[in-house]
Amino acid sequence: MKFSKVYPLLVKKGERKGRTKDEVDAIICWLTGYTKPQLQQQLNNEVDYRTFFEQAPQMNPHCHLITGSVCGIKVQEIQDPLMQKIRYLDKLVDELAKGKAIEKIMR
């Protein structure tokens, strides 16, 4: 699946709850180490999710602190590293959409 197809859905989820695209971008950049221009380049290149995470400059060393469930699955228990990273991102955007302060989301 192309990350560029999912990205607008992540932004829309945040915006429906009064958050901004910039806040969603900040979370993505915090998690993956991309800068905003690098994130935009990945979107322009229409990379798939695997490539997006494989080319990430550096996953945040604190991402292991992301816990909780997405679709009834605990993110900390996911065995597949790619799926865990995808769910980390989902969880962070969910927290943003639920009104959690961005400073608390970026553990």
Side-chain angles (χ1 to χ4, degrees):
M1 181 178 297
K2 290 183 180 180
F3 181 72
S4 62
K5 298 292 184 191
V6 177
Y7 173 77
L9 301 174
L10 296 173
V11 172
K12 191 174 190 176
K13 182 188 283 188
E15 289 178 339
R16 275 194 315 258
K17 300 292 184 165
R19 304 312 285 256
T20 66
K21 177 184 175 294
D22 285 340
E23 288 175 310
V24 174
D25 288 352
I27 286 173
I28 294 170
C29 292
W30 175 86
L31 179 64
T32 61
Y34 285 112
T35 63
K36 285 186 89 167
Q38 290 170 324
L39 173 60
Q40 187 59 54
Q41 185 62 46
Q42 292 293 70
L43 293 168
N44 293 344
N45 290 344
E46 296 190 355
V47 298
D48 60 28
Y49 249 127
R50 179 175 304 281
T51 304
F52 177 76
F53 282 109
E54 285 176 351
Q55 293 181 354
Q58 179 179 347
M59 289 298 289
N60 191 291
H62 300 289
C63 67
H64 68 279
L65 298 175
I66 301 168
T67 59
S69 297
V70 175
C71 300
I73 300 170
K74 293 186 183 230
V75 296
Q76 63 272 24
E77 295 176 2
I78 297 172
Q79 298 299 313
D80 178 5
L82 174 60
M83 186 54 66
Q84 189 173 47
K85 291 172 186 172
I86 291 169
R87 294 301 185 177
Y88 280 159
L89 181 54
D90 287 343
K91 181 66 179 164
L92 294 177
V93 173
D94 283 350
E95 289 178 357
L96 182 69
K98 289 178 182 175
K100 194 169 187 178
I102 199 159
E103 296 79 21
K104 290 187 178 184
I105 294 170
M106 295 185 212
R107 296 156 168 79

